[in-house]
Amino acid sequence: MVRFENVGMRYGMGPEVLRDINLHLAPGSFHFLTGPTGAGKSSLLKLLALSHRPSRGLLTLFGQEVNSLKREDLPAFRRKIGVVFQEFRLLNHLSTLDNVALPLRIAGADEEQIYKHVTELLDWVGLGPQVDAKPPTLSGGEKQRVAIARAVINRPQLLIADEPTGSMDPEMGLRLMHLFQELNKLGTTVVIATHDLGLIKRFSNPVLYLKDSTLYSSRSDEYLDQYHRSSL
Amino acid sequence: MIQFFGRSNELQLEKDASSRYLPIVISSMVFLAALALAGLFSIHSAVENWSTAVSGNLTVEIEYEAPRKLDKKVKITVDFLRTFPGVEKVRPLSLEESAKLLEPYLGRADVVKDLPLPRLIEVTIAEGSALDLVATAKKLSDTVPGARLNTHRPWLNKMITLARSVQLLAAAIMFIIGITTVIIVIFAARTGMVMHQEIIEVLHLTGAKDTYIARQFQNYFAKLSFLGALPGLLIAVLVMQILGFLTSQLEASLITAPTMIFEGWIALAMLPFLVALLTMGTVRWIVMGSLKRMM
Ligand SMILES: Nc1ncnc2c1ncn2[C@@H]1O[C@H](COP(=O)(O)OP(=O)(O)OP(=O)(O)O)[C@@H](O)[C@H]1O
Ligand SMILES: [Mg+2]
């Protein structure tokens, strides 16, 4: 599904914010991605979202090396990836419904189907009453749920979420984690960036952590042990 | 047409104020273009009329006198003209021929024939000859009193040259207007892209093809151009009607006042569509070009 081989990444001419990343994500896996602020979590997710190119190394997505892809093939790849951005990136002048419908419209789905699916999903994430509201009038947690709904509406094969439950109460956070789990059971590969140790503890999925610009992986209990030992 | 002018779904370009100036600018551009185009077409048809007028031969007219004297004068004139280098052919018209020419104005030729008509002599000048018509005309009337050589040919030639230069100027103006319009549209499209950079990025990362994004821009701007072109064209047509009315009051006898031909009206009617197409193509080119810079 996803393979990084000695991948490095930099912004423009700046220093490498990620280096020597080696990683393999099996189809249907569910990982947490963590690390201190500024460690490069969002940057790693940008590589996965096909919004940045690696500056070196090989990144393989869905069996294709990214740098060898033709530009006109990229949209088809991106449609298989759902992204929850850390800063949501909702379109402020569109209603909640139209924001969530965006991936379906872009993929050319039929309007009737779009309406049905979108309202169903919005009800499920508790935004039924807000279908016509515009993002600026929503609370932080509500915006986050709109962003999540938009990322999953297309049943993506790869779901990446950057701090998706940071702005909501724990109960709603758990509800959305269960949504991710459901999708994962249906075959979606999931990567979630988070600072929330409670979440890591509770769901005990394997943990990828960034330290000194490079990536390590471990089981969640090992990671938590290590974390507690180093902070003592 | 609906597809052609489709709404810009996600970008909602109609809600931003930055491009509202575009119809006004396009309107003035179309106004100028329409006038230039009208000038081009009407001068073209005028020149054509004048050209047929001058490509005919020169004529010498000899005032009426007693028929015998007149015949003599005709003979002298013919002999006199034949001595000029550059004169290819001199042919006196018979009385019947002259009467025939006047028939449309004066009535049946056999009646006209008996009127005190001037005698006409047809003179063909060799092509490219440097005959000084004005001097020749003077010499002729000195030699044969009552003989008069028509000399509007060089004058018409000058008019034609002038008209051709005006035509060239009109074409150049059209060209400049086209270029200016393209530049204005480029700036409008660039501004639009900068203002909507974030939305464009989201669309792009959600898997939108470049054409999907470009279409929203190009349709919206084409619509603005089209709607801006209509009032510009309307005002131009009004101005042309007023000008046409004023020249018709002038009663220019020799040359026909420039009038628009049918093709000219068609060209004018196509102007808004052409401007919309030009805008659409330009915007597409700009948007696709800058999208290429994203991964
Ligand atoms: N667009 C950018 N241009 C230049 N440098 C950037 C850009 N985005 C991030 N960086 C730098 O890259 C490094 C990693 O940033 P990144 O946003 O990936 O961290 P993060 O782990 O997501 O942090 P946080 O937990 O605060 O979200 C930081 O040093 C940051 O300054
Ligand atoms: Mg981040």
Side-chain angles (χ1 to χ4, degrees):
Chain A
M1 172 62 61
V2 177
R3 190 181 288 279
F4 284 72
E5 288 168 77
N6 294 318
V7 168
M9 177 193 172
R10 59 173 85 228
Y11 288 99
M13 294 280 114
E16 275 197 326
V17 296
L18 296 173
R19 57 189 161 79
D20 301 324
I21 307 282
N22 286 291
L23 168 69
H24 173 71
L25 299 179
S29 59
F30 193 135
H31 288 82
F32 285 119
L33 172 63
T34 189
T37 177
K41 298 183 293 298
S42 301
S43 305
L44 185 74
L45 296 187
K46 279 178 196 163
L47 293 177
L48 284 174
L50 294 175
S51 103
H52 277 70
R53 286 181 192 283
S55 47
R56 62 187 173 88
L58 293 180
L59 167 57
T60 310
L61 270 184
F62 307 113
Q64 292 258 4
E65 206 277 302
V66 165
N67 272 327
S68 70
L69 279 175
K70 274 195 267 136
R71 201 172 172 280
E72 54 266 35
D73 295 332
L74 287 170
F77 273 70
R78 292 194 178 106
R79 289 177 197 182
K80 294 192 241 176
I81 306 170
V83 187
V84 184
F85 299 99
Q86 188 166 15
E87 61 283 20
F88 315 142
R89 295 200 176 191
L90 301 176
L91 309 192
N92 283 336
H93 52 269
L94 295 186
S95 67
T96 299
L97 185 111
D98 287 334
N99 264 288
V100 177
L102 191 64
L104 296 175
R105 292 230 167 89
I106 285 175
D110 159 85
E111 278 301 314
E112 216 173 290
Q113 290 283 313
I114 291 177
Y115 183 80
K116 189 170 153 282
H117 281 112
V118 172
T119 46
E120 227 167 68
L121 181 60
L122 283 176
D123 278 340
W124 201 89
V125 298
L127 288 173
Q130 273 100 351
V131 279
D132 292 322
K134 306 254 159 100
T137 68
L138 298 176
S139 77
E142 285 166 342
K143 279 186 223 174
Q144 203 154 35
R145 277 179 277 155
V146 177
I148 291 169
R150 184 178 67 186
V152 303
I153 189 74
N154 230 0
R155 290 273 184 86
Q157 292 181 35
L158 173 63
L159 178 70
I160 53 193
D162 203 346
E163 316 254 2
T165 57
S167 331
M168 52 188 93
D169 59 72
E171 204 178 315
M172 185 50 83
L174 281 182
R175 191 173 163 84
L176 289 166
M177 281 302 297
H178 284 124
L179 170 67
F180 295 147
Q181 275 194 319
E182 286 304 313
L183 281 167
N184 181 240
K185 277 187 201 141
L186 293 172
T188 299
T189 308
V190 181
V191 181
I192 292 178
T194 183
H195 284 126
D196 187 345
L197 291 179
L199 221 54
I200 293 174
K201 196 168 184 172
R202 180 163 190 130
F203 286 87
S204 59
N205 291 315
V207 176
L208 307 166
Y209 63 97
L210 279 162
K211 212 170 85 184
D212 305 326
S213 314
T214 194
L215 190 72
Y216 303 88
S217 59
S218 65
R219 293 211 321 264
S220 68
D221 48 347
E222 282 171 4
Y223 174 75
L224 290 170
D225 274 359
Q226 206 180 344
Y227 186 86
H228 287 303
R229 250 182 283 132
S230 65
S231 58
L232 276 178
Chain B
M1 211 62 178
I2 304 252
Q3 184 57 33
F4 185 74
F5 282 154
R7 225 159 44 93
S8 61
N9 300 330
E10 286 86 24
L11 289 164
Q12 301 263 310
L13 294 162
E14 40 281 280
K15 289 203 177 140
D16 79 48
S18 71
S19 51
R20 297 228 178 100
Y21 72 93
L22 192 68
I24 299 167
V25 179
I26 294 286
S27 198
S28 347
M29 287 296 156
V30 166
F31 173 76
L32 296 175
L35 289 188
L37 201 63
L40 209 63
F41 274 99
S42 49
I43 291 172
H44 181 76
S45 63
V47 166
E48 223 138 70
N49 288 344
W50 300 340
S51 301
T52 40
V54 292
S55 65
N57 301 315
L58 291 180
T59 46
V60 173
E61 199 183 304
I62 301 169
E63 272 171 35
Y64 180 76
E65 268 179 86
R68 253 223 251 126
K69 266 187 151 178
L70 199 56
D71 284 343
K72 211 170 147 200
K73 269 193 180 174
V74 169
K75 194 171 172 344
I76 297 172
T77 309
V78 170
D79 291 342
F80 176 74
L81 284 172
R82 283 197 172 131
T83 62
F84 280 87
V87 172
E88 196 170 275
K89 205 173 115 197
V90 183
R91 187 177 76 89
L93 298 188
S94 70
L95 207 53
E96 282 76 17
E97 281 176 293
S98 302
K100 202 107 193 135
L101 281 176
L102 289 169
E103 200 180 32
Y105 308 99
L106 298 176
R108 283 174 45 203
D110 52 343
V111 180
V112 171
K113 201 165 71 182
D114 298 328
L115 294 173
L117 291 180
R119 293 291 297 271
L120 298 174
I121 301 166
E122 199 178 276
V123 183
T124 311
I125 294 173
E127 214 163 305
S129 88
L131 187 64
D132 182 346
L133 286 177
V134 181
T136 311
K138 182 147 190 338
K139 271 188 210 158
L140 178 65
S141 45
D142 286 349
T143 318
V144 188
R148 201 148 47 84
L149 178 69
N150 279 327
T151 52
H152 36 251
R153 178 174 175 159
W155 181 73
L156 267 180
N157 271 337
K158 273 182 201 142
M159 279 297 285
I160 289 173
T161 315
L162 178 69
R164 287 261 148 80
S165 340
V166 173
Q167 262 187 308
L168 213 64
L169 188 69
I173 289 173
M174 287 289 292
F175 183 70
I176 292 169
I177 290 171
I179 300 274
T180 313
T181 308
V182 167
I183 292 172
I184 289 165
V185 169
I186 288 176
F187 274 100
R190 289 243 167 95
T191 312
M193 286 206 71
V194 170
M195 289 194 52
H196 297 90
Q197 186 55 38
E198 287 203 13
I199 303 175
I200 291 171
E201 259 177 54
V202 172
L203 293 178
H204 184 69
L205 291 178
T206 313
K209 293 190 176 131
D210 292 353
T211 49
Y212 182 93
I213 296 169
R215 205 179 308 129
Q216 300 198 18
F217 276 100
Q218 82 203 26
N219 288 353
Y220 173 67
F221 281 109
K223 182 168 83 181
L224 285 189
S225 280
F226 186 78
L227 295 181
L230 294 180
L233 183 62
L234 195 75
I235 296 170
V237 169
L238 277 179
V239 168
M240 278 154 49
Q241 292 303 321
I242 294 169
L243 281 182
F245 175 74
L246 291 180
T247 43
S248 73
Q249 299 295 91
L250 278 177
E251 294 268 355
S253 57
L254 185 67
I255 55 162
T256 45
T259 48
M260 269 278 277
I261 49 172
F262 184 62
E263 286 90 329
W265 289 111
I266 292 186
L268 280 187
M270 278 173 36
L271 211 51
F273 296 98
L274 282 178
V275 172
L277 274 179
L278 185 68
T279 305
M280 192 181 252
T282 308
V283 170
R284 186 183 174 85
W285 171 56
I286 290 298
V287 174
M288 296 289 275
S290 57
L291 286 176
K292 286 252 149 59
R293 269 173 250 137
M294 297 169 84
M295 178 190 171

Short mmCIF file of all heavy atoms in Angstrom, two decimals, chain A residues 41-43 86 162-163, ligand 2:
data_model
loop_
_atom_site.label_atom_id
_atom_site.label_comp_id
_atom_site.label_asym_id
_atom_site.label_seq_id
_atom_site.Cartn_x
_atom_site.Cartn_y
_atom_site.Cartn_z
N LYS A 41 5.28 15.69 11.56
CA LYS A 41 4.13 14.81 11.32
C LYS A 41 3.32 15.29 10.11
O LYS A 41 3.03 14.53 9.19
CB LYS A 41 3.21 14.78 12.57
CG LYS A 41 3.88 14.25 13.81
CD LYS A 41 2.93 14.18 14.99
CE LYS A 41 2.48 15.56 15.49
NZ LYS A 41 3.58 16.40 15.99
N SER A 42 2.98 16.59 10.14
CA SER A 42 2.19 17.12 9.02
C SER A 42 2.96 16.99 7.72
O SER A 42 2.38 16.72 6.66
CB SER A 42 1.83 18.57 9.27
OG SER A 42 1.09 18.68 10.46
N SER A 43 4.27 17.17 7.79
CA SER A 43 5.08 17.06 6.57
C SER A 43 5.03 15.65 6.02
O SER A 43 4.90 15.45 4.80
CB SER A 43 6.52 17.46 6.88
OG SER A 43 6.55 18.74 7.45
N GLN A 86 -4.84 19.38 9.26
CA GLN A 86 -4.74 19.90 10.63
C GLN A 86 -5.54 21.20 10.76
O GLN A 86 -6.21 21.42 11.75
CB GLN A 86 -3.27 20.16 10.96
CG GLN A 86 -3.04 20.50 12.42
CD GLN A 86 -1.56 20.42 12.80
OE1 GLN A 86 -0.68 20.38 11.95
NE2 GLN A 86 -1.31 20.39 14.09
N ASP A 162 -4.81 14.48 10.33
CA ASP A 162 -3.83 15.22 11.12
C ASP A 162 -4.53 15.80 12.35
O ASP A 162 -5.30 16.75 12.23
CB ASP A 162 -3.24 16.34 10.24
CG ASP A 162 -1.87 16.78 10.74
OD1 ASP A 162 -1.52 16.44 11.88
OD2 ASP A 162 -1.18 17.47 9.97
N GLU A 163 -4.30 15.21 13.51
CA GLU A 163 -4.95 15.64 14.76
C GLU A 163 -6.46 15.77 14.58
O GLU A 163 -7.03 16.83 14.83
CB GLU A 163 -4.41 17.01 15.20
CG GLU A 163 -2.93 17.14 15.09
CD GLU A 163 -2.25 17.08 16.44
OE1 GLU A 163 -2.95 16.90 17.46
OE2 GLU A 163 -1.02 17.20 16.46
MG MG C 2 1.20 19.27 12.28
#
